[in-house]
């Protein structure tokens, strides 16, 4: 597993889904733009998914601690909104 620390701006609407027959119950998926203009897909599961969907909005700047999966998506371990 690889650990990443990312600061970026949410550029898409946050999509929230429930998952059936999985160890995870829910997922939030959205895109962020980094300072170098790279775009990444972010996935958060369960409680982190609930937080993303209820507390974050498009154009928010966020800090993410997580890891990169095999599809080059960021999987959230910890996330927080940044006031800039």
């Amino acid at each position: 597993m690889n650990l990443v620390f990312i600061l970026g701006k949410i550029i898409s609407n946050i999509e929230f889904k429930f998952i059936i027959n999985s160890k995870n119950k829910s997922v939030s998926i959205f895109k962020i733009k980094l300072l170098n203009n790279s775009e990444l897909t972010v996935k958060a599961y369960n409680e982190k998914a609930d937080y993303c969907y209820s507390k974050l909005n498009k154009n928010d700047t966020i800090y993410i601690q997580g890891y990169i999966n095999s599809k080059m998506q960021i999987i959230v371990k910890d996330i927080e909104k940044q006031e800039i």
Side-chain angles (χ1 to χ4, degrees):
M1 183 168 70
N2 48 41
L3 190 61
V4 295
F5 300 91
I6 296 176
L7 182 67
K9 182 178 183 179
I10 300 173
I11 59 170
S12 69
N13 292 324
I14 298 173
E15 181 181 345
F16 183 84
K17 295 180 182 178
F18 287 104
I19 305 171
I20 300 172
N21 296 330
S22 175
K23 67 177 182 174
N24 297 306
K25 296 177 181 152
S26 59
V27 63
S28 286
I29 304 169
F30 56 94
K31 292 191 178 285
I32 62 170
K33 184 178 258 187
L34 306 180
L35 294 174
N36 66 359
N37 291 326
S38 298
E39 292 183 9
L40 299 172
T41 300
V42 176
K43 284 187 173 183
Y45 293 97
N46 302 323
E47 292 84 14
K48 301 296 181 192
D50 296 341
Y51 172 82
C52 291
Y53 188 70
S54 64
K55 304 287 185 191
L56 301 177
N57 297 302
K58 191 173 181 180
N59 295 320
D60 284 347
T61 300
I62 57 171
Y63 165 78
I64 299 172
Q65 176 183 345
Y67 63 94
I68 301 173
N69 69 7
S70 61
K71 296 179 183 177
M72 297 303 292
Q73 300 168 328
I74 306 303
I75 306 300
V76 173
K77 286 181 70 176
D78 193 23
I79 188 168
E80 61 184 59
K81 187 176 178 178
Q82 299 292 304
E83 301 298 329
I84 295 180

